[in-house]
Structure formats: C-alpha cells, structure tokens
Amino acid sequence: MTPENLTGPVCVHAEAPVWSPSWGGVRWVDAEAADLVTLRDDGIHRLHLDDDYAAFVRPRIGGGFVAVGARSLHLADTADGPAQVVTSFDLGSAQFNDGTVDPRGRLLAGSMSTGDDSAAGRVLRIDGDLSSTEILSGVETSNGIGFSPDGTLAYYNDTPTGRVDVFDVVDGELRDRRGFVSIAHDQGMPDGLTVAADGSVWVALWNGSAVHGYSPEGALVARIELPVPQVSACTFGDDDLGTLFITTSAQGLDPDHGTEAGSLFAVRPGVRGMPVVPFAG
C-alpha cells in the first residue's frame, strides 16, 4: 500500500485527524499554529483558535464543533465557527495533547508534560455539562484513544511507554489496564490511533515512518510506510469510511529536512472505520 500525498507540507505539526460529514471532509489540527485545517472538495480551509495550541477537534451533537486548546475548551455552533472559550483547566505543568469522544458522547482529553515532571499528564473526562473527572494520571505524553466496535474495550497510547494499552470498559468506566502490543524502539513510538469496524487497531508511529495495523488479538496485520519520519495520527473517512487519512509532522526537524513532513496522506487499507461519535455538549 502506497499512501497518496493529498496536500503537500501545509502544516508544521499536523495531528489528530477526524472525518465528519458535518464539516464536509477531513479536519485536523496544525497544533503549534493553533489552527483547525479542513480539506474539502474545493481545497484547504483554516480556522484559527484564540489559543496557544490546538490539541484536537470533534463534532458536537447539535452541530458545530468542540476544539481543545492548550488548557481551554472551545465551542462553536457551526462547522466553520467562530469558536469561543467556554472553560479552562488547571493542568499544572501539562497541556492538552490528544483525545476523543467515548461511546456515551463524553470528551476524553489527554495531556502531556511540559515541565520537569515527566509524568504530569493526565486524562480528563469532560461531560456535556462541561464538568470534568480525572480518569488517568501519571501520564507522560497522552496520545491516541479509541474504542472497540462494541464499546467494551478502549485502546490507549502514552507514547514514551512504547506500548499500546487496552482497558475493559465497564459501565462507561475504564478498568484493568494491560498491554495490547509493544513496539520496538527502532520501529518508532505509538502516537495517534484509530479503530476499524472489524476491530483492528491502526497506530501511527512517531519516528517510525509508518502506520501499523493490528488484529483484535494484537497481531501485526499491515504496515503502511510513509516517506516522512514523524507520523502523528490517523483516522478513517470518506463516504464509505474506507480511506485512512494520515497526518505527519515537521516539528523539530531541520529546516532543510527535504521531506514531505507536514502533509496529509491517504490510503485504502481494505477495512473501514466507524462513524465519529459527536460530543454531547
């Protein structure tokens, strides 16, 4: 499988792609620019957040979107904004980094350490009324979170661990964390992830130039190679949810790196994703 470059290097740190018919295509973040970037049939559209960082974005159940900034939550009533800050969070020496919406429509917002305490990150669950609950602490760099098709399992990446972990989901709570797969250091580090309708788990490999597909049993079933080192995240989209969209990053690379880092790629891996769950807020 050879991915197609859809955009060229239009971002510095492209991350957290998500497909939604509500905004007409695939949307992702240019994180350090605090921009939301959308690819539609008529080209690329940018929307800037009033923030220092854009971590991830999801559609809202009543229309519009929720976007997570460095330490704030932004809500918009329409697909193209504007977005307003509705609440902020005291994360100490951490900032938000990646997350998702669980099957009950609650936002799961992970964070990463930005100071001396390497385990200052956490994962917050944010309900539709914007109340929050800490569900995971002691995190270094919280990245991909995804749920199995029946909602009974949750997959999770704390990138420096080199593992994809899995939880049981019991009455909406995450229980019994354990290893799902371990990734050798020379293959990269697990960054964003997405889960297909057949239960396979697709993991972007930072400094690994690839996306790996794993069976529900944890066996490696696919390797998609990218012409850039820092592969940041992936999601399924298109009308049939059969295209895997892959974000890449030029963050920290030398100015003369000479690669297509910062581009959005796409490939058809032979499986389909699941519709995105909107935020209930």
Side-chain angles (χ1 to χ4, degrees):
M1 292 179 282
T2 302
E4 176 188 1
N5 190 330
L6 298 181
T7 64
V10 296
C11 298
V12 175
H13 185 37
E15 260 276 20
V18 60
W19 174 275
S20 176
S22 67
W23 49 57
V26 61
R27 176 171 285 178
W28 64 100
V29 300
D30 192 355
E32 293 171 347
D35 284 351
L36 309 181
V37 187
T38 308
L39 178 62
R40 302 186 178 121
D41 290 342
D42 61 346
I44 293 172
H45 302 259
R46 282 184 177 261
L47 175 64
H48 184 68
L49 297 180
D50 184 16
D51 210 303
D52 298 325
Y53 193 82
F56 66 100
V57 61
R58 287 293 187 275
R60 295 173 67 191
I61 196 167
F65 63 85
V66 55
V68 178
R71 295 175 179 85
S72 298
L73 200 69
H74 304 248
L75 292 180
D77 294 329
T78 63
D80 292 316
Q84 303 293 329
V85 174
V86 293
T87 189
S88 296
F89 300 86
D90 181 3
L91 300 179
S93 60
Q95 70 174 43
F96 287 122
N97 188 53
D98 200 355
T100 192
V101 174
D102 75 5
R104 298 188 177 198
R106 303 171 299 183
L107 199 68
L108 301 185
S111 57
M112 62 180 177
S113 175
T114 60
D116 294 334
D117 182 358
S118 63
R122 65 190 84 167
V123 178
L124 300 182
R125 184 178 66 225
I126 303 170
D127 291 358
D129 63 1
L130 305 186
S131 62
S132 64
T133 303
E134 183 179 291
I135 62 171
L136 196 61
S137 62
V139 171
E140 291 189 62
T141 305
S142 187
N143 266 306
I145 310 174
F147 290 82
S148 62
D150 63 5
T152 63
L153 298 173
Y155 299 93
Y156 176 67
N157 291 341
D158 181 359
T159 293
T161 67
R163 298 190 316 270
V164 182
D165 287 344
V166 61
F167 296 82
D168 294 321
V169 182
V170 181
D171 296 327
E173 303 292 332
L174 305 188
R175 298 283 185 261
D176 189 23
R177 181 177 180 174
R178 56 203 183 270
F180 174 63
V181 296
S182 293
I183 297 169
H185 183 72
D186 61 1
Q187 292 187 329
M189 296 184 292
D191 201 322
L193 67 76
T194 191
V195 182
D198 67 352
S200 56
V201 181
W202 297 76
V203 181
L205 298 179
W206 186 266
N207 284 337
S209 301
V211 173
H212 279 181
Y214 295 95
S215 74
E217 294 75 34
L220 180 64
V221 294
R223 176 178 168 86
I224 301 168
E225 296 187 357
L226 281 295
V228 300
Q230 296 176 163
V231 184
S232 55
C234 54
T235 195
F236 285 97
D238 267 343
D239 292 342
D240 65 352
L241 296 175
T243 298
L244 188 67
F245 293 96
I246 304 166
T247 50
T248 64
S249 174
Q251 183 185 57
L253 297 181
D254 290 336
D256 59 351
H257 58 83
T259 76
E260 302 170 62
S263 301
L264 178 75
F265 292 82
V267 68
R268 302 277 293 184
V271 296
R272 296 182 180 182
M274 297 179 287
V276 63
V277 178
F279 176 49

